[in-house]
């Protein structure tokens, strides 16, 4: 049987990762304990899906230059196909990631080629039977990419499941674009802050119910709740909390990406939403015990972790992001 394929039409960038005891105060300076340059952004989600059994194809824009070269090499190393040619005008963008001693992360990003997407580029990206499509809010927030991407998403064939992660920049997505994307979403996965922005503050059950009302075609929504796990609400059924797992977190960068990638992969392989959420909680829990955003585990490791853990609730960070 052919593995289900994920089409990722968002962005992937190069991360400059600094580890600090705490963020510097305004006007001051800190010396980092370590520094690394790695590929990140949407790459982290693609890695999670690929390592858990999906065929993955990157259909976003990438650049010409050292960042673009690094991105394409990282994709190839994970056996992730690249469907679009590089931009001739600019390089792939970058992001400064500051990770503090409490394992939290702070971002400052600079969009490059991924911020300029045209209808002509997307015309060559056509879903096949069995494909899933995914995008995060980042490329929908960029003036040079959101219109073309909004049109492409709205025109997706109905049999193609579409997954949307609003991302922390959801407030920067123009309302007309956001409504078009929500109207087409089959699955919406967001953290608590994003859910509150989209649906108003409240407990997870109330936010999930209101999110479903904003996504009329959705099969369900997931509200990721960090240390607690996540709340899953399938359309036409009752929602419920899916507990996380107890781990010692060292780096939460990429945890949300890992959660979404593992969740989509599990759904595509036939798991029901609650099983898929437990699987994704485990993947995210493992990922935060390791340094680096692209730290998603493979399927066998996730299943072994679940079997050994017995589903204990996470008291630290499992599904952040």
């Amino acid at each position: 049987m052919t593995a289900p394929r994920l089409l990722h039409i968002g962005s992937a960038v190069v991360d400059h990762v600094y580890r600090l005891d705490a963020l510097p105060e305004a006007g001051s300076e800190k010396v980092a304990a370590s520094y690394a340059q790695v590929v990140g952004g949407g790459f982290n989600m693609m890695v999670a899906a690929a390592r858990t059994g999906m065929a993955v194809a990157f259909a976003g824009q990438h650049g010409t230059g050292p960042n673009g070269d690094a991105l394409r090499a990282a994709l190839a190393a994970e056996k992730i196909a690249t469907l679009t040619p590089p931009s001739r005008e600019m390089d792939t963008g970058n992001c400064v990631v500051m990770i503090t001693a409490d394992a939290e992360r702070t971002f400052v990003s600079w969009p490059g080629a991924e911020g300029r997407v045209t209808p002509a580029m997307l015309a060559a990206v056509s879903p096949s039977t069995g494909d899933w499509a995914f995008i995060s809010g980042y490329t929908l927030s960029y003036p040079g990419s959101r219109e073309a991407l909004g049109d492409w998403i709205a025109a997706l064939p109905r049999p193609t499941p579409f997954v949307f992660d609003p991302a922390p920049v959801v407030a920067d997505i123009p309302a007309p674009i956001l409504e078009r994307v929500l109207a087409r979403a089959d699955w919406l996965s967001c953290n608590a802050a994003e859910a509150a922005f989209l649906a108003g503050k409240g407990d997870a059950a109330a936010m999930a119910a209101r999110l479903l009302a904003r996504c009329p075609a959705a099969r369900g929504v997931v509200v990721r709740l960090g240390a607690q796990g996540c709340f899953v609400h399938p359309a036409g059924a009752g929602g419920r909390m899916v507990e996380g797992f107890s781990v010692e977190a060292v780096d939460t960068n990429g945890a949300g990406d890992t959660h979404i990638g593992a969740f989509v992969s599990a759904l595509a392989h036939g798991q029901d939403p609650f099983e898929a959420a437990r699987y994704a909680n485990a993947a995210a829990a493992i990922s935060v015990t390791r340094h680096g955003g692209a730290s998603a585990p493979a399927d066998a490791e996730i299943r072994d972790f679940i079997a050994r853990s017995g589903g204990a609730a996470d008291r630290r960070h499992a599904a952040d992001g």
Side-chain angles (χ1 to χ4, degrees):
M1 181 180 295
T2 302
R5 185 174 72 154
L6 171 71
L7 291 178
H8 191 297
I9 59 169
S11 63
V13 298
V14 168
D15 286 345
H16 299 274
V17 183
Y18 297 85
R19 300 188 184 280
L20 315 167
D21 59 347
L23 294 178
E25 296 181 2
S28 68
E29 181 178 345
K30 285 269 189 178
V31 175
S34 68
Y35 164 79
Q37 180 176 311
V38 297
V39 176
F43 177 70
N44 300 333
M45 186 272 187
M46 289 185 273
V47 166
R51 291 180 183 172
T52 52
M54 287 193 88
V56 180
F58 177 53
Q61 183 61 283
H62 46 108
T64 297
N67 287 352
D69 292 343
L71 168 58
R72 287 182 290 274
L75 290 168
E78 294 288 340
K79 297 181 171 57
I80 296 171
T82 301
L83 302 184
T84 52
S87 166
R88 297 180 180 180
E89 299 176 356
M90 56 195 311
D91 200 0
T92 291
N94 65 80
C95 181
V96 172
V97 182
M98 292 172 283
I99 301 173
T100 47
D102 57 1
E104 292 297 346
R105 66 279 186 276
T106 302
F107 304 118
V108 179
S109 62
W110 174 254
E114 68 278 3
R116 297 184 183 181
V117 177
T118 66
M121 188 205 89
L122 291 171
V125 181
S126 180
S128 301
T129 302
D131 284 351
W132 289 61
F134 170 85
I135 196 170
S136 78
Y138 286 103
T139 35
L140 293 172
S141 72
Y142 301 146
S145 62
R146 58 197 181 204
E147 295 291 343
L149 287 167
D151 290 344
W152 190 90
I153 292 164
L156 266 177
R158 259 322 321 175
T160 302
F162 169 60
V163 182
F164 178 44
D165 166 24
V169 296
V170 60
D172 297 328
I173 303 173
I177 299 289
L178 181 60
E179 292 306 321
R180 293 180 72 192
V181 174
L182 291 174
R184 179 56 185 83
D186 290 279
W187 280 95
L188 177 69
S189 177
C190 50
N191 66 24
E194 296 153 10
F197 176 84
L198 290 170
K201 293 182 179 179
D203 62 25
M207 289 193 295
R210 293 195 293 266
L211 287 170
L212 271 178
R214 291 199 66 178
C215 304
R219 303 180 190 183
V221 301
V222 178
V223 179
R224 305 188 308 275
L225 298 168
Q228 300 172 52
C230 64
F231 189 92
V232 182
H233 196 328
R240 72 170 186 254
M241 185 70 191
V242 180
E243 297 296 330
F245 296 86
S246 182
V247 295
E248 188 71 36
V250 299
D251 185 349
T252 60
N253 186 28
D257 296 318
T258 295
H259 193 276
I260 298 168
F263 180 74
V264 172
S265 180
L267 287 179
H269 283 94
Q271 291 191 34
D272 73 43
F274 300 109
E275 293 172 334
R278 189 163 184 258
Y279 182 87
N281 283 353
I286 296 168
S287 78
V288 302
T289 66
R290 302 166 175 169
H291 291 296
S295 55
D299 174 72
E301 185 178 5
I302 296 170
R303 295 185 184 281
D304 179 65
F305 177 86
I306 292 173
R308 288 186 291 104
S309 69
D314 179 11
R315 300 306 175 196
R316 300 182 190 275
H317 303 273
D320 269 3

